Amino acid sequence: MNRRLGILLSGRGSNFQAIADSIDAGRLNAAIGCVISNRPEAPGLAIAQQRKLHAVSIPSRGLDRESYDRLLLEELRKHDIGLVCLAGYMRLLSSAFIRAYPLRILNIHPSLLPAFPGLDAQHQALVHGVKFTGCTVHFVDEDLDSGPIIQQAVVPVEDDDTVETLSARVLKEEHRIYSEAIGTVLEGRYRIEGRRVLNNRARMTKI
Ligand code: GRF
């Protein structure tokens, strides 16, 4: 599979940096083909520029979803992107975009999906009172935070946690599992049965 990643982000960009670090350290065999932000002021975009990656801002203000996503697709195709990685990208994607990259768009979410989809997942976890939360890397489908789950990590919730302390503990795991999940997909080490993303090795040991 084409190992050129297209990163879409809207903010801080720490997950993008963790992916770039994994590539630089040789833990992930991939290349970042482009980094696109819908917000020109996103710190992640400046970091991508500092790292001498191809980084562009495509402002979304005033454009409807379909028109905006056509611009995104154009940019991704220009850079021959094989896998799209959402890394704190704060916009919903159109159906046309999702169909253009079937099983080739990943997202990371800071909860154990299907618990706490949407915004402020760590806050939702604290308010609900769960004892464990975590993070999820999943394929993107047409619904919010709902596609097949590739990898998750569990994080305990401590009695004295605030949104900040809990988010920091979850983020550390996000940085680890996103690169691992990208590797799984790029290497084709999975198969899908219904909603389940299974390790391909399991099939081999059953035979
Ligand atoms: C992360 O918590 C990620 O799970 C969520 O948005 C946040 C982005 O953080 N989708 P960063 O921009 O990668 O630092």
Side-chain angles (χ1 to χ4, degrees), residues 11-16 87-90 107-110 122 171 174-175:
R12 182 176 57 179
S14 73
N15 276 287
F16 144 63
Y89 182 64
M90 302 304 283
N107 182 41
I108 181 132
H109 182 77
Q122 302 92 334
L171 194 62
E174 293 185 38
H175 293 166

mmCIF file of all heavy atoms in Angstrom, residues 11-16 87-90 107-110 122 171 174-175, ligand 1:
data_model
loop_
_atom_site.group_PDB
_atom_site.id
_atom_site.type_symbol
_atom_site.label_atom_id
_atom_site.label_comp_id
_atom_site.label_asym_id
_atom_site.label_seq_id
_atom_site.Cartn_x
_atom_site.Cartn_y
_atom_site.Cartn_z
ATOM 1 N N GLY A 11 -5.359 22.012 15.146
ATOM 2 C CA GLY A 11 -4.879 22.673 16.369
ATOM 3 C C GLY A 11 -3.444 22.370 16.717
ATOM 4 O O GLY A 11 -2.546 22.444 15.875
ATOM 5 N N ARG A 12 -3.255 21.955 17.963
ATOM 6 C CA ARG A 12 -1.944 21.772 18.575
ATOM 7 C C ARG A 12 -0.998 20.855 17.790
ATOM 8 O O ARG A 12 0.187 21.120 17.667
ATOM 9 C CB ARG A 12 -2.231 21.192 19.968
ATOM 10 C CG ARG A 12 -1.087 20.934 20.862
ATOM 11 C CD ARG A 12 -1.634 20.461 22.196
ATOM 12 N NE ARG A 12 -2.478 19.258 22.040
ATOM 13 C CZ ARG A 12 -3.072 18.628 23.041
ATOM 14 N NH1 ARG A 12 -2.944 19.086 24.279
ATOM 15 N NH2 ARG A 12 -3.801 17.552 22.826
ATOM 16 N N GLY A 13 -1.519 19.737 17.336
ATOM 17 C CA GLY A 13 -0.706 18.865 16.469
ATOM 18 C C GLY A 13 0.227 17.921 17.191
ATOM 19 O O GLY A 13 1.201 17.440 16.603
ATOM 20 N N SER A 14 -0.079 17.580 18.449
ATOM 21 C CA SER A 14 0.858 16.671 19.142
ATOM 22 C C SER A 14 0.779 15.251 18.578
ATOM 23 O O SER A 14 1.786 14.542 18.546
ATOM 24 C CB SER A 14 0.618 16.685 20.651
ATOM 25 O OG SER A 14 -0.558 16.009 20.986
ATOM 26 N N ASN A 15 -0.393 14.816 18.145
ATOM 27 C CA ASN A 15 -0.465 13.484 17.529
ATOM 28 C C ASN A 15 0.295 13.451 16.209
ATOM 29 O O ASN A 15 0.983 12.477 15.903
ATOM 30 C CB ASN A 15 -1.926 13.050 17.331
ATOM 31 C CG ASN A 15 -2.491 12.435 18.591
ATOM 32 O OD1 ASN A 15 -2.140 11.315 18.952
ATOM 33 N ND2 ASN A 15 -3.340 13.184 19.290
ATOM 34 N N PHE A 16 0.169 14.517 15.438
ATOM 35 C CA PHE A 16 0.954 14.605 14.203
ATOM 36 C C PHE A 16 2.450 14.512 14.524
ATOM 37 O O PHE A 16 3.199 13.769 13.868
ATOM 38 C CB PHE A 16 0.613 15.911 13.461
ATOM 39 C CG PHE A 16 1.776 16.527 12.765
ATOM 40 C CD1 PHE A 16 2.429 15.859 11.734
ATOM 41 C CD2 PHE A 16 2.263 17.773 13.158
ATOM 42 C CE1 PHE A 16 3.536 16.416 11.115
ATOM 43 C CE2 PHE A 16 3.366 18.321 12.554
ATOM 44 C CZ PHE A 16 4.004 17.647 11.524
ATOM 45 N N ALA A 87 -5.813 14.124 12.788
ATOM 46 C CA ALA A 87 -5.061 14.295 14.033
ATOM 47 C C ALA A 87 -5.530 15.597 14.691
ATOM 48 O O ALA A 87 -4.921 16.648 14.530
ATOM 49 C CB ALA A 87 -3.557 14.337 13.739
ATOM 50 N N GLY A 88 -6.681 15.492 15.369
ATOM 51 C CA GLY A 88 -7.266 16.697 15.948
ATOM 52 C C GLY A 88 -7.859 17.574 14.863
ATOM 53 O O GLY A 88 -7.739 18.794 14.899
ATOM 54 N N TYR A 89 -8.497 16.932 13.891
ATOM 55 C CA TYR A 89 -9.129 17.665 12.783
ATOM 56 C C TYR A 89 -10.586 17.901 13.154
ATOM 57 O O TYR A 89 -11.349 16.950 13.320
ATOM 58 C CB TYR A 89 -9.020 16.844 11.491
ATOM 59 C CG TYR A 89 -9.603 17.532 10.289
ATOM 60 C CD1 TYR A 89 -9.051 18.717 9.809
ATOM 61 C CD2 TYR A 89 -10.708 17.008 9.626
ATOM 62 C CE1 TYR A 89 -9.579 19.360 8.707
ATOM 63 C CE2 TYR A 89 -11.245 17.634 8.514
ATOM 64 C CZ TYR A 89 -10.672 18.802 8.060
ATOM 65 O OH TYR A 89 -11.201 19.430 6.964
ATOM 66 N N MET A 90 -10.951 19.176 13.319
ATOM 67 C CA MET A 90 -12.224 19.501 13.952
ATOM 68 C C MET A 90 -13.347 19.778 12.944
ATOM 69 O O MET A 90 -14.158 20.673 13.150
ATOM 70 C CB MET A 90 -12.046 20.717 14.880
ATOM 71 C CG MET A 90 -11.000 20.520 15.959
ATOM 72 S SD MET A 90 -11.307 19.072 16.982
ATOM 73 C CE MET A 90 -12.610 19.709 18.013
ATOM 74 N N ASN A 107 -8.786 7.949 12.357
ATOM 75 C CA ASN A 107 -8.970 9.035 13.332
ATOM 76 C C ASN A 107 -8.535 8.537 14.703
ATOM 77 O O ASN A 107 -8.606 7.341 14.991
ATOM 78 C CB ASN A 107 -10.447 9.449 13.388
ATOM 79 C CG ASN A 107 -10.673 10.608 14.342
ATOM 80 O OD1 ASN A 107 -9.888 11.559 14.394
ATOM 81 N ND2 ASN A 107 -11.738 10.544 15.131
ATOM 82 N N ILE A 108 -8.101 9.478 15.536
ATOM 83 C CA ILE A 108 -7.842 9.131 16.938
ATOM 84 C C ILE A 108 -8.810 9.918 17.805
ATOM 85 O O ILE A 108 -9.054 11.102 17.572
ATOM 86 C CB ILE A 108 -6.379 9.397 17.353
ATOM 87 C CG1 ILE A 108 -6.157 8.994 18.816
ATOM 88 C CG2 ILE A 108 -5.965 10.850 17.148
ATOM 89 C CD1 ILE A 108 -4.946 8.169 19.043
ATOM 90 N N HIS A 109 -9.373 9.212 18.803
ATOM 91 C CA HIS A 109 -10.362 9.844 19.671
ATOM 92 C C HIS A 109 -9.994 9.562 21.127
ATOM 93 O O HIS A 109 -9.650 8.421 21.468
ATOM 94 C CB HIS A 109 -11.755 9.293 19.348
ATOM 95 C CG HIS A 109 -12.828 9.946 20.168
ATOM 96 N ND1 HIS A 109 -13.303 11.219 19.883
ATOM 97 C CD2 HIS A 109 -13.482 9.536 21.280
ATOM 98 C CE1 HIS A 109 -14.218 11.548 20.785
ATOM 99 N NE2 HIS A 109 -14.341 10.551 21.639
ATOM 100 N N PRO A 110 -10.094 10.572 22.008
ATOM 101 C CA PRO A 110 -9.625 10.392 23.388
ATOM 102 C C PRO A 110 -10.642 9.765 24.338
ATOM 103 O O PRO A 110 -10.915 10.291 25.420
ATOM 104 C CB PRO A 110 -9.267 11.824 23.811
ATOM 105 C CG PRO A 110 -10.208 12.672 23.042
ATOM 106 C CD PRO A 110 -10.456 11.969 21.733
ATOM 107 N N GLN A 122 -12.843 13.645 27.444
ATOM 108 C CA GLN A 122 -12.257 13.431 28.781
ATOM 109 C C GLN A 122 -13.177 14.035 29.856
ATOM 110 O O GLN A 122 -13.345 13.456 30.926
ATOM 111 C CB GLN A 122 -10.864 14.061 28.865
ATOM 112 C CG GLN A 122 -9.873 13.550 27.827
ATOM 113 C CD GLN A 122 -9.856 14.391 26.554
ATOM 114 O OE1 GLN A 122 -10.839 15.032 26.208
ATOM 115 N NE2 GLN A 122 -8.731 14.380 25.855
ATOM 116 N N LEU A 171 -3.389 11.322 26.502
ATOM 117 C CA LEU A 171 -2.620 11.777 25.335
ATOM 118 C C LEU A 171 -1.345 10.960 25.139
ATOM 119 O O LEU A 171 -0.945 10.664 24.013
ATOM 120 C CB LEU A 171 -2.268 13.265 25.491
ATOM 121 C CG LEU A 171 -1.755 13.976 24.236
ATOM 122 C CD1 LEU A 171 -2.811 13.980 23.123
ATOM 123 C CD2 LEU A 171 -1.341 15.410 24.554
ATOM 124 N N GLU A 174 -2.344 8.047 23.360
ATOM 125 C CA GLU A 174 -2.700 8.388 21.973
ATOM 126 C C GLU A 174 -1.450 8.385 21.113
ATOM 127 O O GLU A 174 -1.421 7.834 20.007
ATOM 128 C CB GLU A 174 -3.337 9.778 21.902
ATOM 129 C CG GLU A 174 -4.688 9.892 22.563
ATOM 130 C CD GLU A 174 -5.307 11.271 22.336
ATOM 131 O OE1 GLU A 174 -5.169 11.846 21.250
ATOM 132 O OE2 GLU A 174 -5.942 11.792 23.282
ATOM 133 N N HIS A 175 -0.402 9.023 21.647
ATOM 134 C CA HIS A 175 0.830 9.165 20.869
ATOM 135 C C HIS A 175 1.441 7.804 20.558
ATOM 136 O O HIS A 175 2.047 7.617 19.514
ATOM 137 C CB HIS A 175 1.828 10.040 21.638
ATOM 138 C CG HIS A 175 1.367 11.461 21.751
ATOM 139 N ND1 HIS A 175 1.933 12.355 22.605
ATOM 140 C CD2 HIS A 175 0.361 12.127 21.117
ATOM 141 C CE1 HIS A 175 1.312 13.525 22.487
ATOM 142 N NE2 HIS A 175 0.359 13.406 21.603
HETATM 143 C C1 GRF B 1 -6.517 14.591 20.684
HETATM 144 O O1 GRF B 1 -6.952 14.395 22.018
HETATM 145 C C2 GRF B 1 -7.243 13.674 19.753
HETATM 146 O O2 GRF B 1 -7.575 12.452 20.320
HETATM 147 C C3 GRF B 1 -8.493 14.445 19.433
HETATM 148 O O3 GRF B 1 -8.073 15.789 19.357
HETATM 149 C C4 GRF B 1 -6.900 15.956 20.152
HETATM 150 C C5 GRF B 1 -5.862 16.519 19.248
HETATM 151 O O4 GRF B 1 -4.667 16.815 19.923
HETATM 152 N N1 GRF B 1 -9.098 13.969 18.213
HETATM 153 P P1 GRF B 1 -3.365 17.159 19.096
HETATM 154 O O5 GRF B 1 -3.719 18.331 18.183
HETATM 155 O O6 GRF B 1 -2.977 15.943 18.321
HETATM 156 O O7 GRF B 1 -2.350 17.552 20.120
#
